[in-house]
Amino acid sequence: MRSMLKAGGIFILLLAHHIISAAANATQTFEQAYAPINVGGITIFVPIELIPEPAKYLTIKNTDSQSLLEWEPLANVTHYILEQEVNGSWVSINDNLLTNSYATPISNNLKYRVSSCDKYGCSASQVITNQVEGDIQIRSFQASDYKVNNNNSVDIYWDVIGASTIKLSSNKRHNYPNLAPKSSIKVSTTDLTTFTLTASGFGKKSSQKLSIIKPVDKPQANVPKASIYLQPLYDLNLEPIERSLLVGKNNNNYVADLQRQLHRVSDTGQIIWTRHLTGLIANQPVYLTDDNGEAFLFFALSKSNLIDTDIAGQFCRLKVDNQAISCFNIANNAIAGPAVNMKDNTNPQLYLIDVSGMLYQFSAFESENIELIGSQQLLHNQSTIRVLTTPQLNIDNEQLIVRTENNDVLAYPLPTAESLQSQTINAISNLFSSETTQNNEQPTQTNAVWSRKLD
């Protein structure tokens, strides 16, 4: 007995023997793991079960000719066993697979499962839990709050398509592997922390970052001067949305924040007024004056923190002096800002595109309330597009240049008086039609004149 013991240290005896792998239904050679236990000053070794964890997600992606399988690579695993179900029985495809991926001839009816193995045995099997198609897209990545006090926690949300492996990490050593494609997690931090979401699979990778801040005591500061920098706004206890800042307008600046508020701030650092809104301004407002010299702001409101196309948004006009506001409800959420056509200086036209590619045309000053002229659905190769970036106008070519979520740059013709007249005639025709299909009528659809793909 004493020949098997080693006092004052740790000694693990490994005994080779044969066992049957339940995952592969085939005989394989594994080693028995032992753990030391101290009894009365004597170290003895008892057999223990020590096998790898199973893969959490098994992802399949079908191409024109193959079914591609991938899963999260596991640490300290020597090989994997991959099986397919044939006529109700599991049959081994490869019982010594050294990578975390495999390609088979395409078959929509077969089922697959994978087990992870090391020298002590094999894990339970994981069947397909995730089926993807197309390229990787991080559709959303956001936090429930972007600041913490002391040891507060926040929820981080994500929505990813096309990936087999998703993980969340940070510069403060947070590490969350094997995440679901669409989910959330509660995290705690006590300092400025930058989180990185990384999605990968099938030879592709994509990542996005967000930062959580910890507010500090307000420092003693000089009165801020007009500049492009954000620090003076933080000194005023504001949490600005950077892409919405509008500065240098008649010695005033307009600041939208994460609390669904719009502030007018003077160049000397004084908050002149604060207007509470029903959504976030995630775009830079347009500043226009009418024939009487009255100043107005035009902007889109995002009614949801998520980029959901089934959440309605608004397009609003706000009078700068008295904060009188008029809003028009649009069909979908709006992230991009308005583009303005000043060709007719007496009556500027504004164009807004929501996240589902619906284009709205508004008249700036024709009535007391904001007035819709017309709308149409923008298409690319006969499919709808998603738009998060403010479009640009090419007045010379009478085109609206749009960048999509997938980095396509598209050009669309500006709506004309003739096209709007056609819309009006169609609407009147539908009104007096004997058929009851008016509620099912689709909006006017417009395809791109040309397109380019950004790298």
Side-chain angles (χ1 to χ4, degrees):
M1 177 67 179
R2 291 184 179 274
S3 64
M4 298 176 58
L5 306 178
K6 184 176 180 181
I10 297 176
F11 177 81
I12 299 178
L13 177 64
L14 302 175
L15 176 63
H17 71 289
H18 294 279
I19 65 172
I20 302 298
S21 171
N25 196 24
T27 302
Q28 295 194 39
T29 300
F30 298 108
E31 297 178 357
Q32 175 65 58
Y34 287 83
I37 296 179
N38 189 284
V39 179
I42 299 175
T43 302
I44 63 174
F45 300 88
V46 296
I48 61 171
E49 183 181 79
L50 187 64
I51 59 175
E53 292 291 327
K56 192 169 184 180
Y57 298 101
L58 175 58
T59 301
I60 187 170
K61 178 179 181 180
N62 288 334
T63 67
D64 293 336
S65 60
Q66 290 182 312
S67 290
L68 306 178
L69 297 162
E70 280 195 4
W71 55 95
E72 175 83 11
L74 301 172
N76 302 319
V77 169
T78 59
H79 65 282
Y80 301 94
I81 298 173
L82 185 64
E83 302 168 278
Q84 68 181 23
E85 188 181 43
V86 180
N87 297 326
S89 299
W90 290 101
V91 178
S92 175
I93 301 177
N94 191 321
D95 61 3
N96 190 30
L97 185 58
L98 302 181
T99 65
N100 63 311
S101 62
Y102 196 81
T104 70
I106 190 168
S107 175
N108 293 323
N109 297 322
L110 288 180
K111 297 180 181 179
Y112 300 90
R113 69 182 187 182
V114 67
S115 303
S116 52
C117 303
D118 62 12
K119 62 183 179 180
Y120 300 125
C122 294
S123 71
S125 300
Q126 175 61 274
V127 297
I128 293 173
T129 54
N130 189 25
Q131 186 162 359
V132 302
E133 59 183 19
D135 294 333
I136 294 175
Q137 290 186 45
I138 300 178
R139 302 182 65 179
S140 65
F141 180 44
Q142 60 188 31
S144 58
D145 200 350
Y146 292 88
K147 66 177 182 180
V148 293
N149 294 296
N150 300 324
N151 292 321
N152 288 356
S153 60
V154 299
D155 293 312
I156 294 182
Y157 304 86
W158 63 88
D159 182 4
V160 178
I161 60 176
S164 65
T165 300
I166 301 168
K167 63 180 180 180
L168 181 68
S169 59
S170 80
N171 61 332
K172 301 298 183 182
R173 298 185 179 180
H174 295 85
N175 186 31
Y176 304 99
N178 297 319
L179 299 176
K182 183 178 182 180
S183 189
S184 65
I185 194 169
K186 188 178 293 293
V187 298
S188 298
T189 184
T190 59
D191 200 355
L192 172 63
T193 306
T194 298
F195 289 90
T196 302
L197 183 74
T198 304
S200 59
F202 309 103
K204 304 289 185 180
K205 180 182 286 188
S206 181
S207 63
Q208 286 189 15
K209 298 178 183 290
L210 63 80
S211 294
I212 308 297
I213 66 170
K214 179 182 180 181
V216 298
D217 294 335
K218 183 178 178 180
Q220 295 294 327
N222 296 327
V223 176
K225 304 298 182 181
S227 73
I228 62 172
Y229 299 105
L230 294 175
Q231 186 59 47
L233 300 177
Y234 291 122
D235 293 339
L236 294 175
N237 291 324
L238 302 183
E239 298 177 86
I241 300 174
E242 185 171 358
R243 64 182 282 170
S244 70
L245 287 177
L246 182 64
V247 300
K249 298 297 182 182
N250 197 22
N251 299 322
N252 286 277
N253 311 282
Y254 299 90
V255 184
D257 66 16
L258 295 172
Q259 309 304 320
R260 298 190 174 192
Q261 299 178 123
L262 178 64
H263 309 272
R264 182 182 181 185
V265 182
S266 70
D267 282 348
T268 58
Q270 304 296 317
I271 298 178
I272 299 174
W273 52 250
T274 295
R275 173 76 192 204
H276 295 273
L277 304 169
T278 58
L280 291 175
I281 303 179
N283 52 85
Q284 188 178 64
V286 169
Y287 181 94
L288 295 176
T289 56
D290 63 11
D291 292 339
N292 298 321
E294 295 282 357
F296 294 83
L297 295 178
F298 298 83
F299 50 84
L301 283 182
S302 173
K303 304 297 286 294
S304 169
N305 291 337
L306 295 173
I307 306 173
D308 293 330
T309 57
D310 57 351
I311 301 296
Q314 286 185 320
F315 181 64
C316 300
R317 180 182 70 183
L318 183 141
K319 191 173 182 179
V320 169
D321 287 341
N322 60 14
Q323 307 169 55
I325 192 169
S326 169
C327 293
F328 183 91
N329 293 327
I330 57 179
N332 306 299
N333 202 6
I335 303 298
V340 59
N341 185 354
M342 297 294 295
K343 190 173 183 179
D344 182 4
N345 290 328
T346 61
N347 185 25
Q349 305 292 300
L350 296 112
Y351 303 95
L352 180 74
I353 305 177
D354 65 26
V355 296
S356 291
M358 181 68 74
L359 169 64
Y360 302 86
Q361 183 178 3
F362 296 93
S363 173
F365 303 120
E366 279 194 349
S367 62
E368 292 185 2
N369 296 317
I370 192 166
E371 182 175 336
L372 177 70
I373 298 176
S375 63
Q376 53 192 264
Q377 178 67 57
L378 301 184
L379 305 177
H380 182 210
N381 296 332
Q382 305 304 318
S383 298
T384 57
I385 59 176
R386 281 171 60 86
V387 178
L388 308 180
T389 306
T390 299
Q392 301 294 317
L393 286 177
N394 185 332
I395 299 300
D396 293 335
N397 294 333
E398 296 188 344
Q399 290 178 343
L400 191 67
I401 311 301
V402 179
R403 178 177 177 178
T404 73
E405 183 184 39
N406 295 326
N407 284 333
D408 292 306
V409 178
L410 313 171
Y412 296 92
L414 288 179
T416 63
E418 290 76 12
S419 66
L420 294 174
Q421 183 179 16
S422 176
Q423 292 180 34
T424 303
I425 292 173
N426 290 336
I428 295 174
S429 176
N430 289 333
L431 181 64
F432 292 98
S433 173
S434 60
E435 298 180 3
T436 59
T437 60
Q438 185 174 354
N439 291 334
N440 296 324
E441 289 290 337
Q442 297 297 318
T444 301
Q445 297 180 337
T446 302
N447 213 342
V449 176
W450 57 259
S451 65
R452 300 289 186 273
K453 184 73 174 179
L454 297 179
D455 295 333

